[in-house]
Structure formats: structure tokens, C-alpha cells
Amino acid sequence: MRIGFIGLGIMGKPMAKNLVKAGYDVLVADKFAPKAVDEVVAAGAQAASTNMEVGEKCDIVITMVPNSPNVKEALFGEDGAAKTMAKGKIVLDCSSINPIASREICAELEKLGIDMLDAPVSGGQPKAIDGTLAFMVGGKQEIFDKCKPILEKMGSSVVLCGGIGAGNVTKLCNQTIVAVNIAALAEAMQMGQMCGVEPQKIFEAIKGGLAGSTVMNAKAPMMMDQNFQPGFRIDLHIKDLNNVVDAAKTVDAPIPLTQTVLEMMKVLHHDGDGSCDHSALLKYYQKLTGEVLHH
Ligand code: NAD
């Protein structure tokens, strides 16, 4: 079986390398990132010069690109992989996109006799490198069963959440929870320092209790160090929260917390902080108060 991999960015590059490491025959393409292509080829993959070549030569085509328009372009654009894929082949889209777009893409592929799963991930670059990502998957059970062993080479958790789009709905839930958590952490740490308690003491005292979280353990030290190296960029999180807004609108779901944090992130984007890690939500509070969080 040959696996195609389109999109070798922060996440795609290590994920493709892990497939090579697991012994799969992997054909990669990313016309915008030739250095990443060279790096994955050096690790044992083969390079395709176009997405159409990937479609033609592979049984399963994985896409790991930024957002819905990029997935549509990679599959159906001028150089779209789906144009050359034979009936019975599978698209495995690991990008975090709008679930409505996942359903549209799946419907287009179905017309060509191609199956699809949406399989976004949580875990970020370190877990992509370690092969310990968490996959949230949507699609048919039999396609999931075929693809699960492949996903398990890139992740430590692979859960079928429902039909097509269910993976991206679950990913949007993940992104809301993370965004609101980071904002709450920043707000509380800033308030605590302004009330006269050292942030490090606040962190130490509450991390083992109910307020403790993976978000707190990862992001509180970054906030106290004023280290906003990504990680996960504010701009990508804005993309995800905009997708939450779009998805919620279709079912009239109330999302006041998501809306608030999205507005905060947009302020940071307009201030030139869009490429910072999402822990830079702290900057929103620092700018309002003129006070910088310290250790
Ligand atoms: P990235 O911007 O680093 O990489 C995307 C890659 O896709 C780029 O190399 C780009 O050249 C390529 N690409 C775009 N359109 C293409 C096309 N038509 N044909 C071929 N290649 C194309 O993004 P990333 O951080 O790797 O994220 C990818 C997806 O994973 C996004 O949806 C993101 O939200 C999600 N995600 C990212 C993280 C993270 O921590 N970075 C964590 C979880 C999920």
C-alpha cells in the first residue's frame, strides 16, 4: 500500500516522517515548502512534483493543510489530487477545518467513488514528532477500520466520533475548551498578581487542585517567562474559532465564551501578535493594565 502526504508544515512533516519510520511507502508533495519535501525524502519518502501525481500513485491520500479552502484546492484545484485518484481510493484529511466543509468535500469525493475520513488532531508539534497525537475521526466505520492502523503510527489515541464531519466538530470543541482555558488562566494570573500574590505561588498552589489542567501546566510557565514562541499561533486559533462560530450558527448553539475569546484574539492579531503562541492571550490583559506578569 502506498500513502500520499500533501502538506508538510509544522505538523505534516513529522507525521509523514513517522509513516516512513513505520515502514510505509510514502509519496509526499508540498509545492510551497521544498525544503520540507527534501527533509522528508532524506528520511526515506519519495517526492511527487504535483498533487495530481500523489493522487495517481497512492491508495490513500493524507492532506494536512491550514484550512477548508486549502483542502479544496489540494483535492479539486488546478493541481487537485482527486482528479487522478481511482475509484475505491481514500482521502484522509487531517487538517482542522469547518465540519460543514468536510461534508461538502466528502460529497464531492463520493461522486468520484472516493471515500473520505476527516481526522483532525490535537497535540501540536511535539506530539506530531513523538507520534502521540490524538485523532478525532469522522466517517464510515469500515473506512475507519482500514485507516486506523495508519493513524496509530502517528498518534496514541484514535477515536471514531461519528459520521463525516464529526472529527472536526470534536476538534472545534477542543479548540473552544483550550481557548477559554488559556484566557481564564491569563485573567486569573494577572488579577492575582495585581492583588499582591506572586504568580509562581498561585500556579504552585492550585495546579494540583480542580483548577489544574494540561493547559495550565503548559501555558502558565510560558506566561511567567513572557515566552510566546509558538506552539500554536494566535492566527491559527482565530481560524478555528471562526469555524466554531460558523458551525454554531447552523444549529443556533450559544457560544458567548468562544465569541469573547475570539474578539480578544482579533485585538492581538491587529496589534501584530498573530504569530505568537496562543498563551499570548496574556498580552491582552497586560496591555489593558500596563502591568507585566512576572515569576
Ligand atoms: P503549516 O502552515 O505549518 O503547514 C501547512 C502546509 O500545507 C504548508 O507547508 C503549505 O505549503 C501546505 N499547503 C497548503 N496548501 C497546499 C496545497 N494546495 N498543496 C500542497 N501543499 C499545500 O500548518 P500546520 O501547523 O502544519 O497545521 C496544519 C493543520 O493542522 C491546520 O489545520 C492546523 O490548524 C492543524 N493543527 C496544527 C497544530 C499546531 O500545533 N501547529 C496542532 C493541531 C492541529
Side-chain angles (χ1 to χ4, degrees):
M1 183 203 298
R2 191 179 231 189
I3 301 177
F5 208 113
I6 298 175
L8 301 176
I10 292 178
M11 300 295 286
K13 187 172 68 174
M15 289 166 73
K17 280 186 182 174
N18 280 332
L19 291 178
V20 172
K21 215 186 287 173
Y24 285 109
D25 182 7
V26 181
L27 184 65
V28 298
D30 189 328
K31 53 190 151 205
F32 309 110
K35 273 192 190 155
V37 172
D38 290 346
E39 201 181 316
V40 183
V41 166
Q46 287 171 296
S49 40
T50 61
N51 293 340
M52 283 172 74
E53 187 185 341
V54 173
E56 186 192 333
K57 294 183 175 167
C58 296
D59 304 292
I60 294 183
V61 174
I62 298 177
T63 43
M64 191 52 166
V65 296
N67 202 2
S68 322
N70 311 100
V71 180
K72 288 181 178 173
E73 175 68 24
L75 292 174
F76 308 117
E78 204 177 319
D79 175 33
K83 287 179 168 174
T84 48
M85 288 176 76
K87 284 187 180 167
K89 301 285 171 80
I90 297 172
V91 167
L92 202 43
D93 180 33
C94 296
S95 324
S96 303
I97 69 170
N98 190 327
I100 302 156
S102 295
R103 291 178 194 131
E104 287 167 4
I105 293 164
C106 184
E108 281 305 303
L109 290 171
E110 243 167 39
K111 288 181 199 161
L112 303 169
I114 300 165
D115 284 304
M116 173 184 169
L117 297 176
D118 61 311
V121 302
S122 166
Q125 190 186 29
K127 287 181 179 256
I129 293 169
D130 293 351
T132 55
L133 291 167
F135 282 90
M136 308 152 225
V137 189
K140 292 184 201 139
Q141 181 76 52
E142 67 265 30
I143 307 300
F144 176 76
D145 293 341
K146 271 190 203 166
C147 295
K148 194 171 177 227
I150 297 169
L151 297 176
E152 282 171 342
K153 302 296 183 299
M154 300 181 283
S156 53
S157 160
V158 180
V159 177
L160 181 64
C161 301
I164 192 74
N168 272 307
V169 170
T170 308
K171 174 67 182 177
L172 293 183
C173 297
N174 184 82
Q175 294 308 82
T176 281
I177 293 167
V178 170
V180 174
N181 248 281
I182 294 175
L185 177 65
E187 187 169 302
M189 299 277 274
Q190 184 82 8
M191 182 273 294
Q193 177 176 296
M194 292 174 79
C195 291
V197 181
E198 289 302 310
Q200 182 62 36
K201 292 294 169 200
I202 298 171
F203 176 48
E204 270 175 42
I206 67 179
K207 69 179 178 188
L210 190 58
S213 65
T214 309
V215 161
M216 181 181 282
N217 291 340
K219 303 302 177 185
M222 290 177 77
M223 289 179 185
M224 290 186 287
D225 288 345
Q226 297 289 307
N227 166 19
F228 303 121
Q229 290 289 337
F232 192 73
R233 284 180 280 121
I234 292 272
D235 282 345
L236 270 184
H237 218 141
I238 289 175
K239 177 262 300 182
D240 289 335
L241 297 189
N242 275 323
N243 284 338
V244 174
V245 171
D246 289 344
K249 216 180 277 170
T250 62
V251 290
D252 226 2
I255 49 161
L257 296 176
T258 305
Q259 296 274 20
T260 301
V261 181
L262 174 56
E263 290 306 314
M264 291 162 62
M265 286 185 175
K266 282 188 197 163
V267 170
L268 294 168
H269 169 84
H270 288 300
D271 278 358
D273 293 322
S275 293
C276 291
D277 186 71
H278 47 182
S279 56
L281 270 168
L282 177 69
K283 286 191 176 189
Y284 179 89
Y285 294 94
Q286 294 186 158
K287 282 173 189 170
L288 283 179
T289 61
E291 182 160 333
V292 172
L293 198 77
H294 54 74
H295 259 295

